[in-house]
Amino acid sequence: MLLTWQLQKSNWKTLISPGARCFVDSMRSYHTYREQRNKWKSGTVDLLTNGNLDVRTRHKGKLWRSQIKTLCDLLIRLLFIVLLSAALATDQFYWSWLWIIPIALASVLNIMLAVKTPMHRPIDVILAGLLISPEIYLWVNLITFSQVWLERLAANKKDGWANQYNAENGKTRSKLGQGILTGFAFTGMIVVLCIYFRDYLTSPSVQQAIYPYLMNGWILLTYLTIYQSLYMFYQIWTLRKPIQA
């Protein structure tokens, strides 16, 4: 990508064959996969934030839009978790069937993507329709996205190639198990505290104090979800055509 942009900056034309296909071997574990993704995404972020490479192309704009979309995905999920937890803890949660719309759109979109993927299996389509595999894949990307941008802002830079090499050769270990256990422990602690202080959290004074923040948060989440739903509808409309993966 860097070479392509440097050529374009020097007024050279770069062409890509629409019939070209590249097949790569997949990573054998979650740890090696994460290190590979960190390397790729950190390289993309380095290019986008490189002030010496003043190149304006449609591709660069597409990459920035992809970064913004990932940030929007992260904000939607974090907002939903915080707002849902606060609403349940203060007994101010109200279900609306309108929330089914983005879930249904996501299910249809992922089924279409799975069906159009070569060599797909029935279980792939089922997991895609239930949003199990897409959501796991998305959370892995969101974690990588957050880590890459935090490292970009940090003073100490890491060697992505060396990290992936060490992971593939078993010199480093994944922290997935520790992260899952920490998440369950933190969630359990929050649930115990909410049950213990339930009378206080559901008191009228606390509900009135929390209510404005909940309303503003749900409104913001609604706008973000509408934007994402429109984008998913656009993707579904695009995928109706015969597309070769």
Side-chain angles (χ1 to χ4, degrees), residues 22-213:
C22 178
F23 297 91
V24 298
D25 193 12
S26 60
M27 293 293 101
R28 303 304 176 89
S29 67
Y30 169 80
H31 183 47
T32 55
Y33 175 79
R34 281 269 287 117
E35 294 298 343
Q36 181 195 60
R37 287 284 164 172
N38 280 339
K39 181 187 68 178
W40 287 351
K41 291 186 178 295
S42 61
T44 302
V45 171
D46 287 340
L47 282 180
L48 292 176
T49 56
N50 189 345
N52 297 324
L53 191 63
D54 187 18
V55 177
R56 297 180 180 179
T57 64
R58 294 175 59 186
H59 185 213
K60 188 174 183 179
K62 182 179 180 180
L63 290 176
W64 271 116
R65 289 192 297 272
S66 176
Q67 297 293 317
I68 294 173
K69 182 183 180 301
T70 305
L71 177 61
C72 186
D73 288 332
L74 179 62
L75 289 177
I76 286 176
R77 279 152 182 81
L78 292 180
L79 265 176
F80 180 75
I81 292 173
V82 172
L83 292 172
L84 181 62
S85 301
L88 291 173
T90 57
D91 196 21
Q92 298 186 88
F93 175 74
Y94 304 98
W95 168 260
S96 175
W97 285 102
L98 291 175
W99 295 354
I100 294 294
I101 296 176
I103 298 175
L105 287 174
S107 179
V108 172
L109 174 60
N110 283 285
I111 289 176
M112 294 178 69
L113 288 172
V115 171
K116 287 180 176 291
T117 301
M119 296 178 290
H120 64 270
R121 302 166 300 173
I123 187 63
D124 297 325
V125 180
I126 294 173
L127 291 177
L130 295 176
L131 302 181
I132 296 176
S133 54
E135 197 65 22
I136 294 175
Y137 173 76
L138 181 58
W139 270 107
V140 173
N141 281 338
L142 292 178
I143 294 172
T144 304
F145 171 83
S146 303
Q147 180 179 345
V148 165
W149 276 103
L150 288 175
E151 290 177 354
R152 179 60 182 172
L153 299 175
N156 298 326
K157 305 301 179 183
K158 297 182 179 180
D159 188 345
W161 288 92
N163 289 341
Q164 182 181 344
Y165 177 81
N166 292 331
E168 292 180 3
N169 287 275
K171 296 180 180 180
T172 57
R173 291 290 181 266
S174 173
K175 298 181 180 179
L176 177 62
Q178 299 176 10
I180 293 176
L181 289 176
T182 302
F184 276 118
F186 179 77
T187 303
M189 182 183 66
I190 295 297
V191 171
V192 170
L193 290 175
C194 289
I195 294 175
Y196 184 79
F197 293 102
R198 177 171 177 77
D199 293 338
Y200 171 74
L201 293 173
T202 56
S203 62
S205 58
V206 173
Q207 288 182 337
Q208 292 176 3
I210 295 295
Y211 182 77
Y213 298 100

